[in-house]
Amino acid sequence: MSLVPFDDRDGWIWLDGQFVPWREAKVHVLTHGLHYASAVFEGERMYGGEIYKLREHTERLFKSAEMLDFEIPFTVEEIDQACKDTCAKNGLTDAYLRPIAWRGSEMIGVSAQNTKIHVAIAVWDWPSYFSPEERAKGIRLTWAKYKRPSPETEPVHAKATGLYMICTISKHAAEKAGYTDAMMLDYRGYIAESTGSNVFFVKNGALHTPTPDCFLNGITRQSVIALAKSKGIEVIERHIKPEELADFTECFVVGTAAEVTPVGEIGEYRFTPGALSLGLADDYARMVRREAVPA
Ligand code: PMP
């Protein structure tokens, strides 16, 4: 990954309906979104000139904003078009896209009724979240310090910036201990997800994946479930206890950034990337590029 800081690059960022030079896309220090995490965002990928599941991502952005009690001052169609235009303006056909919407600086305090809602879209080249070596062997995960909170605690289905505080802390601790990522349990102690992707397990040819009742039901997760079902693979969504990990042979994580990445270990449990994980990883790579997926 490039070490060039994200505020010091060439290119154009779409900001509130206009393109601004990359380095000039700034916010004030007294921005409500910065102080009170009143911000929602998306992570999308364009493959060969087409943004995968663009409409689903844009709709999720709008729903996330609604859950945080603000309204995006554009239509879904306008944001879809702006995403495509931002890729074109930057000359990219394979890219990661980061739309974000946040409350401005008209008010600073818990109440933010009269803040202006801003929207920005940035795109950049981001080939793979994990290195090819990590993908081949399966990434190593440790247990996260924090748990996914109950739906009574926060808007768990929003892709909102504040919800990532526990992810960053958990991922940092994992990296400091030599791991790639951390597996989070939920507030009941069931397996939930990693700090930025959903998780699947394999047992006797079937996929098992946690029920997304207190974390993001990822767009990639939904795509992988549909893909597996189309290939006649059984998919079981249920609550999974950590001790059950001993019964699974394969494991992989899925997300827009992570795509389909095999997992080699989670804490004390070991997995071997096998036919199902590697097959679905290849199929997913074909599907997002609109290539035929073998039956
Ligand atoms: N969980 C978390 C915490 C995430 O950040 C992401 C990435 N957005 C996902 C799951 C996967 O979501 P998607 O497949 O929609 O990218």
Side-chain angles (χ1 to χ4, degrees), residues 164-235:
Y164 282 85
M165 175 179 62
I166 56 174
C167 301
T168 297
I169 298 170
S170 299
K171 184 145 176 156
H172 280 188
E175 287 174 344
K176 282 175 195 155
Y179 292 89
T180 298
D181 205 344
M183 177 53 56
M184 304 184 88
L185 302 180
D186 73 13
Y187 64 102
R188 295 158 296 198
Y190 294 126
I191 300 288
E193 59 171 359
S194 87
T195 63
S197 52
N198 293 119
V199 65
F200 285 83
F201 299 96
V202 176
K203 182 161 79 175
N204 299 330
L207 294 183
H208 296 245
T209 190
T211 309
D213 56 9
C214 63
F215 55 86
L216 215 57
N217 179 8
I219 290 168
T220 316
R221 176 187 183 279
Q222 296 171 51
S223 294
V224 167
I225 289 175
L227 179 65
K229 286 184 175 167
S230 78
K231 295 175 74 86
I233 300 165
E234 188 187 2
V235 182

Side-chain angles (χ1 to χ4, degrees), residues 93-115:
T93 52
D94 287 271
Y96 179 82
L97 291 87
R98 172 55 59 86
I100 181 160
W102 68 96
R103 287 190 184 275
S105 49
E106 292 75 13
M107 293 175 78
I108 279 286
V110 174
S111 178
Q113 309 274 4
N114 298 322
T115 48

Side-chain angles (χ1 to χ4, degrees), residues 1-6 9 125-126:
M1 209 189 297
S2 169
L3 293 174
V4 182
F6 275 89
R9 297 180 173 204
D125 185 32
W126 193 14

